[in-house]
């Protein structure tokens, strides 16, 4: 469906429940017509919580000094891939902070082993790495790369995601280079970043279409409490004193006006639905963050409003609490088998089936 900026803005601001039911129905119908009823399971392995970045909301950023750090061994990761096969998943997603201890050769060797020893598709989500690394991993057999741009507003992006010294971040350019290398590309945004306007979020949604994304991840802004944007009090829109000190006067005014996008479950569903409508054939996950906001039925509501993917966690339980990008993450204590069984039951309760193959 072709939606212009004004139409997207209208839906983002819509509060009428009956009209929103129409949006949910349109997104669900589009999902059914383009990617079908199957829900594909992507087995997620959080292979390292080391990170060189100083992202102002993320619990594994380099300035979180009290966090215990880990980096999984190759055999541990391969064991998780074996679990993915045993549980019937079609894809292994290897995610980490931007960790240069995960060397080019280590990751390439790991990808080659997964591709040689399993039928799994391989998705990488390892941050903004040099083109030489990305090219080597593609040549080793990696199929997909996930790199969320979070917001298309450059000033807001720089405030929440500072560039490394001497290296300006340009995720849009990197996504295009990834496609040229032969990857399927995934990206996405956070909903409700302090200082994010409705117009900015609407432009993000149009950018999904312009990039012709293969996967779109949408999640609510949930800052970790040990970060500048997580030291919140009720008077600063989720900023706290440390976050507030980083705001410009214009951003302060945005937070106090009705143009600030709320970081709510309802707003996240709107963006999921609109993502489906502007990119009908993309894979759109119903995220763990939605399940964190609504443990009873967050994932189910996402799946009924345009999503067709869920990502059960294969990370060994001993590491999961250390990969705390945001607090109180859902399913943190479940084993891989328990997580997979729970998600399968939830999917079948919706009258949908689990997809086969890489999806």
């Amino acid at each position: 469906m072709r939606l212009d900026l004004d139409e997207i803005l209208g839906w983002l601001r819509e509060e009428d429940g009956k009209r929103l039911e129409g949006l949910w129905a349109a997104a669900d119908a589009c999902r059914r017509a383009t990617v079908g009823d199957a829900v594909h399971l992507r087995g997620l392995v959080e292979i390292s919580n080391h990170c060189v970045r100083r992202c102002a909301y993320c619990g594994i950023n380099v300035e979180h000094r009290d966090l215990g750090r880990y980096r999984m061994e190759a055999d541990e990761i391969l064991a998780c891939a074996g679990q993915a096969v045993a549980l019937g998943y079609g894809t292994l997603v290897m995610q980490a902070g931007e960790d240069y201890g995960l060397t080019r050769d280590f990751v390439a060797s790991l990808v080659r082993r997964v591709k040689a020893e399993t039928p799994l598709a391989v998705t990488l989500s390892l941050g903004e790495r040099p083109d030489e690394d990305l090219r080597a991993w593609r040549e080793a057999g990696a199929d997909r790369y996930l790199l969320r741009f979070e917001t298309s507003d450059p000033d807001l992006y720089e405030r929440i995601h500072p560039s490394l010294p001497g290296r300006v971040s340009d995720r849009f350019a990197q996504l295009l280079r990834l496609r040229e290398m032969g990857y399927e590309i995934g990206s996405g945004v956070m909903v409700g970043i302090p200082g994010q306007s409705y117009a900015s979020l609407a432009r993000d949604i149009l950018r999904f279409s312009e990039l012709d994304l293969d996967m779109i991840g949408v999640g609510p802004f949930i800052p970790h409490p040990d970060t500048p944007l997580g030291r919140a009090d009720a008077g600063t829109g989720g900023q706290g004193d440390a976050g507030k000190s980083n705001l410009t006067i214009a951003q302060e005014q945005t937070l106090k006006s009705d143009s600030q996008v709320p970081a709510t479950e309802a707003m996240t569903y709107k963006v999921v639905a609109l993502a489906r409508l502007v990119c009908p054939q993309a894979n759109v996950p119903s995220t763990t963050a939605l399940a964190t906001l609504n443990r009873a039925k967050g994932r189910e509501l996402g799946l009924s409003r345009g999503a067709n993917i869920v990502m059960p966690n294969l990370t060994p339980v001993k590491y999961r609490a250390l990969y705390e990008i945001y607090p109180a993450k859902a399913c943190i204590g479940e084993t891989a088998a328990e997580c997979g069984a729970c998600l399968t039951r939830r999917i079948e309760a919706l009258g949908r089936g689990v997809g086969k193959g890489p999806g």
Side-chain angles (χ1 to χ4, degrees), residues 168-179:
V168 177
S169 175
D170 188 346
R171 293 196 169 193
F172 293 118
Q174 184 160 330
L175 285 164
L176 295 176
R177 293 197 301 275
L178 285 161
R179 169 152 290 152

Side-chain angles (χ1 to χ4, degrees), residues 138-158:
R138 175 62 185 147
E139 290 170 357
D143 301 282
R144 304 167 178 144
Y145 203 93
L146 307 182
L147 186 69
R148 291 188 9 163
F149 64 80
E150 307 298 9
T151 172
S152 58
D153 179 331
D155 293 333
L156 181 57
Y157 180 84
E158 179 64 21

Side-chain angles (χ1 to χ4, degrees), residues 124-146:
L124 301 176
S125 182
L126 304 177
E128 299 175 43
R129 298 289 294 241
D131 284 2
E132 294 80 7
D133 293 359
L134 300 170
R135 195 170 291 109
W137 301 339
R138 175 62 185 147
E139 290 170 357
D143 301 282
R144 304 167 178 144
Y145 203 93
L146 307 182

